[in-house]
Amino acid sequence: MAKKLVAYFSASGTTERLAEKLASAVGADLHEIRPEIPYTSADLDWMDKKSRSSVEMKDKVFRPKVANIVDHIEQYDTIYIAFPIWWYVAPTIINTFLEQYRFQGQKIIPLATSGGSGMGSTNRELAPSCVGADLKEGKVFSVATSENELKAWAEKF
């Protein structure tokens, strides 16, 4: 039987709730991607050009450190990667997370929460970070999305 993982980064708790629903819906293991230095509300102020998130997202090679890893990621056939959309892409900590591993044909399926934008150029930004994986086109979901809706979406892959 295929093993699934939902790995998520959630700065405010919104994406965490979506990830938990997806993991329950598809019978997947759950892994929180934790930054080595947690984000504060001031760090997340996208209106402040000097906030941590603004600075990180301007520098596409910047990689925030991740505090934890997934042991034996090779055991998973499908990896859902959940995150909030920041500046029309995944936060760079998602690149950091993906670059820690060697993928061998696993499916990586992004999903995101957003205050109003779509996936933007997320896949183009993530593709170099998950060499060896089959990166699928992702989708933005509301935190109010039901488990049944998430399951129906996930079954398309």
Side-chain angles (χ1 to χ4, degrees):
M1 186 165 154
K3 276 197 86 164
K4 298 173 185 152
L5 174 70
V6 175
Y8 71 92
F9 166 69
S10 186
S12 67
T14 301
T15 304
E16 179 178 22
R17 291 190 302 277
L18 183 69
E20 288 170 346
K21 279 192 220 177
L22 177 62
S24 176
V26 301
D29 292 341
L30 192 62
H31 173 81
E32 179 183 7
I33 301 166
R34 290 192 321 269
E36 194 170 88
I37 300 169
Y39 289 86
T40 66
S41 55
D43 291 336
L44 300 172
D45 182 2
W46 61 273
M47 300 286 284
D48 178 358
K49 293 183 187 308
K50 294 181 181 178
S51 74
R52 178 177 165 195
S53 60
S54 295
V55 170
E56 288 177 3
M57 294 307 290
K58 281 183 195 163
D59 182 356
K60 295 298 182 184
V61 297
F62 185 80
R63 296 293 186 262
K65 292 187 177 175
V66 174
N68 57 338
I69 63 168
V70 175
D71 290 323
H72 306 292
I73 202 161
E74 69 280 355
Q75 70 182 310
Y76 297 103
D77 302 298
T78 303
I79 301 164
Y80 299 92
I81 192 110
F83 47 84
I85 293 290
W86 287 3
W87 290 263
Y88 305 101
V89 295
T92 53
I93 195 166
I94 299 301
N95 298 84
T96 305
F97 173 77
L98 292 169
E99 290 166 1
Q100 296 178 104
Y101 306 101
R102 291 186 182 206
F103 297 104
Q104 300 295 321
Q106 289 114 317
K107 282 188 275 189
I108 295 182
I109 307 167
L111 69 150
T113 56
S114 174
S117 66
M119 293 295 277
S121 57
T122 295
N123 271 36
R124 185 174 65 237
E125 299 282 337
L126 291 181
S129 298
C130 53
V131 174
D134 179 10
L135 179 61
K136 302 295 186 183
E137 200 60 41
K139 184 174 177 177
V140 172
F141 288 95
S142 161
V143 71
T145 304
S146 72
E147 281 190 29
N148 286 340
E149 290 172 284
L150 289 167
K151 185 174 183 171
W153 170 76
E155 286 174 349
K156 295 176 183 177
F157 300 99

